[in-house]
Amino acid sequence: MIVGINCGHTISGQPGSGAVGYISESSETRAVGYSLMYYLRERGVTVIDCTNDRASSTQENLREIVDMANRQPLDLFVSIHFNSGGGRGTEVYTYNGERFRQAELVCENMEKLGFINRGIKNGSNLYVIRRTNARAMLVEVCFVDTRSDVDLYKKVTAQGVAQAIGDAILGEDFEEELTMAQYEELKKLIADQTARVDVLQNEVYKLQNPMIYNYIDNNMPEWARTAVKWCVDNGIIVGTGDGLNLDDTKLWTCVVIYRLAMSLE
Ligand SMILES: [Zn+2]
């Protein structure tokens, strides 16, 4: 997977630099963006740094970014920004507001960190979304001029945000194939469960179809034969024309009666 990452805007003080509130957008896009690049590279992603630090204007900055992104085929282009204007939470801009999985996961993962999920919005009018060839998303992490957002951001740290966004980018790979060891473990688990179901089905079958003993022969359990014979001999049980018609419970009853009789002798 090849991903282009852009730390939004030029650096602080330059033309095209970002919003400033309790924190500076330009500084924090770099803190999050470079953590994100490191995080993705550690996980085997080829990362193209599409950050432009200096430009004579906002237009030049944006053109530079898009040129860097379009220099090679990318699977995804991600631009990191911070919002301003006094709202709260995270929002993600995509072309036509398309709700692709990685964009949705950014919102969901940031929500797990405690940021309000402002959802996916239409970013077709944003230069870096419109002009990049690859599928693109622009992440507005949180608001630089809202105290509670900045406090949460500082608590979570740029690395935490980078990890949330990084996991979202990797999200489509989470359904990776099982390793051989996982496959064997799963196969064993299924075999164990199947064996237990077999035992249960057997028990249910026995309950629904109780064994009936009509004769004192080898079919009757040995532990019951003497007792049953004694009961027959003493007229306690009487067979019908078809035999004794004894189930397991009746066998046990014969045994109890027989032992009681023996103990009284
Ligand atoms: Zn911005």
Side-chain angles (χ1 to χ4, degrees), residues 29-42:
T29 58
R30 279 150 182 82
V32 170
Y34 286 116
S35 286
L36 175 60
M37 291 183 212
Y38 178 81
Y39 187 73
L40 290 175
R41 281 177 181 137
E42 285 286 295

Side-chain angles (χ1 to χ4, degrees), residues 9 25 81-82 140:
H9 302 281
E25 180 181 9
H81 282 254
F82 281 68
E140 296 277 6

Side-chain angles (χ1 to χ4, degrees), residues 86-188:
R88 287 180 67 196
T90 306
E91 55 195 27
V92 175
Y93 287 86
T94 64
Y95 194 75
N96 278 333
E98 189 202 346
R99 308 182 60 82
F100 58 90
R101 189 71 190 126
Q102 287 146 318
E104 284 181 330
L105 280 170
V106 169
C107 293
E108 289 168 18
N109 290 355
M110 289 296 286
E111 196 174 8
K112 283 178 195 159
L113 290 180
F115 294 97
I116 288 170
N117 180 355
R118 299 168 68 91
I120 295 167
K121 302 191 171 178
N122 186 355
S124 301
N125 61 331
L126 298 169
Y127 192 91
V128 297
I129 296 286
R130 197 173 67 242
R131 294 296 184 94
T132 43
N133 297 330
R135 172 177 265 182
M137 64 175 163
L138 185 148
V139 180
E140 296 277 6
V141 173
C142 65
F143 286 75
V144 295
D145 53 0
T146 298
R147 187 77 252 178
S148 58
D149 261 20
V150 171
D151 286 345
L152 178 58
Y153 171 71
K154 284 182 172 171
K155 194 174 130 226
V156 167
T157 75
Q159 285 73 26
V161 170
Q163 193 176 334
I165 297 170
D167 285 345
I169 290 169
L170 294 167
E172 290 186 346
D173 291 337
F174 278 173
E175 291 170 50
E176 59 196 339
E177 286 179 27
L178 295 176
T179 63
M180 211 55 206
Q182 286 171 323
Y183 174 73
E184 289 301 328
E185 200 179 318
L186 208 61
K187 219 167 66 172
K188 189 177 169 303

Side-chain angles (χ1 to χ4, degrees), residues 69-96:
N70 288 345
R71 223 164 268 161
Q72 63 282 298
L74 299 174
D75 295 304
L76 182 70
F77 170 82
V78 182
S79 184
I80 304 296
H81 282 254
F82 281 68
N83 230 330
S84 64
R88 287 180 67 196
T90 306
E91 55 195 27
V92 175
Y93 287 86
T94 64
Y95 194 75
N96 278 333

